[in-house]
Amino acid sequence: MESGKNTEDHLKVRKMEKKILRKQIRAQHMLMRHEGIECASHATQSLVIANAGLGNGMSRHQLHRIAENYGVVETLLMPPKKPYSFVKYESTEEAKKAFDALNGKEVTLEDSVQNIVLYCNFVEKVVWKNSVPTSLPPDLKVIENIISPEEEREMLESIDWRGDEDTQNAQKTLKHRRVKHFGYEFLYVNNNVDKDKPLPGGLPEICIPFLEKCLKQGYIKHKPDQLTVNQYEPGQGIPPHIDTHSAFEDEIISLSLGSEIVMDFKHPDGHTVAVMLPRRSLLVMTGESRYLWSHGITPRKYDVIQASELGQKVGTITADVRDLTLKRRETRTSFTFRKVRRSSCDCIYPSVCDSQKGQQRQAEPSFPHSEMEASELEQEYVHKVYEEIATHFSSTRHSPWPRVAEFLRSLPEGSIVADVGCGNGKYLGISRDLYMIGCDRSKSLVDICAEKNSQAFICDALSVPIRSGSCDACISIAVIHHFSTAERRLAAIRELVRLLKPGGKALIYVWAMEQEYKNQKSKYLKKKHGSTDKEEESNAGTSQGLPDDETDGQLLGDSKDKGCAVQPGSRLPVHTNRTAFPSPDMLVPWHLRGGIRKKGASVGEVSFPAGSKESQQPVFHRYYHVFHEGELEAACRSLDCVRMLKNYYDQGNWCVVLEKL
C-alpha cells in the first residue's frame, strides 16, 4: 500500500517537472523571439524570470522583495509591457540558489487574488539600451499643483453624481466612465456640440475663480464656456481621440483631481508618448498637441510609471527598464474646459480638420528638368514621406528577403558590410558573423534601427561618409529606384562601388517594370488589390534567374518600348496599387494606417472629399522609377571598375551582384 502511494507521488512529481520544463522551453523561445537573447545551458549571475513582468501585473517592489531572499540583487530590469524580468545577482551561487527556489514557484500578485507561476532560465550578460528621455508633444504643458488640496476637495464635492441620468447637466453613464456636461452638451453621436442649445445654468460658480487664475497666468487666452466632468474608476478610461476641430477653439485645459493618471498621446505616424498627470495638475493642449495628436486613457487598473518618481513628478514616462514599476489606479475626476467655436476651423492640419476636409487636392508634381528639380522632387516625395510613414512602414518590413539573406550569409566571417538605405535595419542583424553598419536618409527609420540596438546613421546614398575601399560588401535593397534621373541612379551605384575593397561584392535590388515575367505574376500583382500596407517591393520567395544570354539593354533612363516614358515637364502619373506599371516614372500611393502627417506642409499628401472612404486614411505619394529588363545591368556595365557576377529577377525586382576589380 505504501509502495503504491510512493509510486503515485513520484509520478505526480515527474509530471510537474515535465510541465515546468515545457514552460521553461516556451519562455526561452519567447525571449529569443522578442529580444534576440539566448538562454544559457549553465549557471550564470543573471536570471530571466517569466511571468514576473510588468505585463503580468508584477511590481518592481514585489519582485525585488522576492529576489533579494536569495542574495544581493545587483540589477533588476523590467521591460514595459513584457511578461518577464531580468535579475542579476552578485554571484553565480546566489543566482543558482534563486533558480532552484523560484523555478515553478507559485506566488500571489500584490493588490490581487491572482496567482502566477514563475519560470526561470539563466542568461548571459543582458545589455539593455538606455532609453532616451521622451519629450512632451509640441505645444503641450502640464502645470503642477495648480490648486490647493482644499480647493480640490471643494470642486469634487460640487459635483453631485447621485442618479444615473441628469437632464440639466446632461449626465451620462458611459461604458468606461461617468460624465457630466455644463454650458453645452457634447453629443457623442456626432462628436460635436449643438451651439444653439446651451444648457441652463452655465459653468459651476466654483470654477470661475480657477478660470480667472488661468487667464491671469496666461495658460488660456479665452474664457471657456463648456465643461465636461469625467469620473474614472480603476480599470476605466477614455478611447484615443482628437477633440473635434469645428466644435472647440484651440485651447483645451483639463484638471486632474483625486488621483494621478497616465495619459497616452499618439502622433499619426505611430509615435506615442505616455504623460504623467499628477493629482491637482493642469493639462494644457494647444497647437499641434490639440489638433494633431490623439489623446486617451487606456482602461486598466495599473499604470506603468517611473519607480524613482512614484506619484511625484510630471512629464513623460521613459521606458527605462531599470526604473519602471506598477502603481494601482484610484478614482480620478477630470474637469475639462473648452471654448465653443463660432466659426469654421482654419488650422494648419487640414487632413484631420473636419472644417477643411475635401477642400483641397494637391496637383501631381512634374518630372524634373534639372538636378535641382530632381533633388527637390526626391526631398518632397521620398525623404519627407518616409519620415512621416516610418513607423507604419517599419511594421510592414520585418521579414528578410530570402536571396538577400542568402547573399549575406555567404560572405566570409568577419566581413564588413554596409547596408546603404537600410530602412528599419531588418538586415543588420541577419548574421552575427558579419560586422554590419547601416545608413538611411530617414532619421525616424534610423531611430528604429537604434531601438533594435543596430548600428546605423543618417546620410544620403549619394554621399556616404565611409572611407573608400573599406567594405567587404555592400547591399542596396529597394533604394536606387527612388532617384529621379538616370544620372543620379548611376551616381548611387558608383557610390556603392567606391565603398568596396578590391574583390568586394555589392548586391542591388530595384523594382521591376515587368511585374509579370516568364508568365508568372509577381507577389505584388498576386496580392489582393487594395492591400497597400504590405511590402510593395515584395517579400521575395522563390525567384527566377535570367538566362545567360540576356541582352545588355539600354542605359538608365532610356525606356524605349518599355512603357510610356515621362518627358521632362510632364506630370508624373499616380499609380494604382497592385496593377501593372504603365510608365517607368510615377508616384506610388501609401495609405497611412491610423493617422496622418505631422505638419501642414504637403509632403506628397492628398486630401479627399469628406465622407469618402479614402478620406479616412491619409495617402502619401512616393516617387519611383521602375527598371525595365536589362536597364540595371546596362548601368552597372557602364562602370569600368566592376564586373557582374550575377543578374536575376526575384519576385518583381531586378537584381545584380557586382564585384569591384
Side-chain angles (χ1 to χ4, degrees), residues 480-647:
I480 293 174
H481 51 219
H482 285 308
F483 288 101
S484 57
T485 66
E487 293 78 14
R488 291 170 71 81
R489 293 188 285 273
L490 186 59
I493 298 173
R494 186 180 291 113
E495 182 70 356
L496 286 175
V497 175
R498 180 187 67 80
L499 303 179
L500 293 173
K501 300 175 181 177
K505 298 176 183 178
L507 173 65
I508 302 173
Y509 267 58
V510 295
W511 215 0
M513 182 84 173
E514 298 82 2
Q515 288 298 303
E516 185 170 346
Y517 185 71
K518 292 188 175 180
N519 298 321
Q520 291 289 324
K521 290 184 178 180
S522 69
K523 287 187 177 182
Y524 175 71
L525 292 185
K526 286 180 180 178
K527 286 182 183 292
K528 183 179 178 182
H529 179 70
S531 60
T532 55
D533 58 343
K534 301 299 182 184
E535 294 199 27
E536 290 162 356
E537 285 83 52
S538 145
N539 180 356
T542 304
S543 59
Q544 298 171 303
L546 297 176
D548 293 336
D549 59 353
E550 189 231 348
T551 58
D552 288 352
Q554 297 86 20
L555 195 59
L556 274 70
D558 185 2
S559 302
K560 294 177 181 178
D561 302 320
K562 297 293 183 177
C564 180
V566 179
Q567 299 301 316
S570 59
R571 295 292 182 186
L572 287 170
V574 177
H575 176 58
T576 301
N577 281 331
R578 310 297 170 191
T579 63
F581 302 128
S583 168
D585 297 280
M586 61 193 161
L587 300 176
V588 177
W590 180 279
H591 296 256
L592 183 63
R593 184 193 303 140
I596 51 81
R597 55 188 164 81
K598 292 180 182 176
K599 298 288 183 184
S602 63
V603 194
E605 193 267 348
V606 177
S607 299
F608 289 89
S612 68
K613 182 177 180 181
E614 289 87 351
S615 68
Q616 300 170 15
Q617 285 187 317
V619 181
F620 294 86
H621 286 160
R622 298 170 294 161
Y623 169 81
Y624 277 87
H625 170 83
V626 288
F627 285 64
H628 63 73
E629 184 174 1
E631 184 180 350
L632 177 61
E633 293 88 325
C636 295
R637 290 191 175 109
S638 72
L639 302 176
D640 57 10
C641 56
V642 298
R643 68 186 180 104
M644 194 175 306
L645 299 180
K646 187 186 298 185
N647 56 302

Side-chain angles (χ1 to χ4, degrees), residues 375-525:
S375 178
E376 290 173 351
L377 174 68
E378 293 161 18
Q379 173 67 17
E380 190 72 17
Y381 288 91
V382 181
H383 305 158
K384 286 186 178 180
V385 173
Y386 277 104
E387 200 63 37
E388 298 293 341
I389 69 173
T391 301
H392 182 198
F393 177 82
S394 177
S395 72
T396 69
R397 268 54 179 179
H398 43 75
S399 300
W401 297 357
R403 294 194 70 170
V404 178
E406 179 185 332
F407 171 82
L408 291 171
R409 291 181 178 128
S410 70
L411 298 173
E413 183 177 349
S415 293
I416 298 172
V417 185
D419 185 350
V420 179
C422 64
N424 68 350
K426 70 177 180 181
Y427 294 111
L428 296 181
I430 202 77
S431 173
R432 294 182 179 181
D433 295 333
L434 305 175
Y435 182 80
M436 293 198 65
I437 187 166
C439 60
D440 201 278
R441 185 62 173 72
S442 168
K443 178 182 183 300
S444 296
L445 287 173
V446 170
D447 287 344
I448 292 172
C449 293
E451 291 171 5
K452 299 178 180 180
N453 293 325
S454 297
Q455 299 293 321
F457 58 89
I458 304 166
C459 79
D460 194 298
L462 296 180
S463 181
V464 181
I466 295 178
R467 184 182 303 166
S468 299
S470 59
C471 296
D472 298 293
C474 295
I475 61 173
S476 172
I477 311 302
V479 176
I480 293 174
H481 51 219
H482 285 308
F483 288 101
S484 57
T485 66
E487 293 78 14
R488 291 170 71 81
R489 293 188 285 273
L490 186 59
I493 298 173
R494 186 180 291 113
E495 182 70 356
L496 286 175
V497 175
R498 180 187 67 80
L499 303 179
L500 293 173
K501 300 175 181 177
K505 298 176 183 178
L507 173 65
I508 302 173
Y509 267 58
V510 295
W511 215 0
M513 182 84 173
E514 298 82 2
Q515 288 298 303
E516 185 170 346
Y517 185 71
K518 292 188 175 180
N519 298 321
Q520 291 289 324
K521 290 184 178 180
S522 69
K523 287 187 177 182
Y524 175 71
L525 292 185

Side-chain angles (χ1 to χ4, degrees), residues 136-144 146 210-211 213-215 217-222 224 243 249-256 263 265 275-278 280-291 293 295 314 332 335-338:
L136 290 172
D139 307 316
L140 184 139
K141 298 177 183 177
V142 181
I143 297 96
E144 294 186 81
I146 189 72
F210 167 72
L211 294 176
K213 177 181 179 180
C214 290
L215 283 165
Q217 296 292 330
Y219 300 139
I220 55 176
K221 297 177 182 178
H222 308 286
D243 285 65
E249 294 284 357
D250 185 15
E251 301 160 333
I252 296 177
I253 60 174
S254 186
L255 185 62
S256 295
M263 180 173 282
F265 287 80
V275 178
M276 169 63 76
L277 303 180
R280 296 188 295 278
S281 69
L282 180 68
L283 171 69
V284 182
M285 293 185 291
T286 61
E288 183 175 318
S289 66
R290 179 266 188 268
Y291 287 122
W293 291 63
H295 61 280
V314 64
R332 172 184 178 266
F335 280 53
T336 302
F337 299 90
R338 308 174 180 91

Side-chain angles (χ1 to χ4, degrees), residues 143-208:
I143 297 96
E144 294 186 81
N145 297 315
I146 189 72
I147 60 173
S148 67
E150 180 62 23
E151 290 172 317
E152 176 190 39
R153 183 186 62 77
E154 292 174 353
M155 293 184 76
L156 287 172
E157 290 177 353
S158 71
I159 304 300
D160 185 4
W161 293 105
R162 289 175 297 182
D164 288 336
E165 302 293 330
D166 183 319
T167 304
Q168 177 173 333
N169 296 124
Q171 179 174 321
K172 306 289 183 184
T173 302
L174 303 180
K175 181 179 180 181
H176 290 298
R177 65 195 189 281
R178 291 196 293 181
V179 62
K180 191 185 288 280
H181 300 288
F182 298 86
Y184 292 85
E185 180 181 3
F186 186 80
L187 304 173
Y188 295 98
V189 291
N190 61 358
N191 291 326
N192 215 315
V193 294
D194 189 338
K195 301 172 185 178
D196 298 323
K197 291 185 178 180
L199 297 172
L203 302 189
E205 285 294 325
I206 197 167
C207 297
I208 303 305

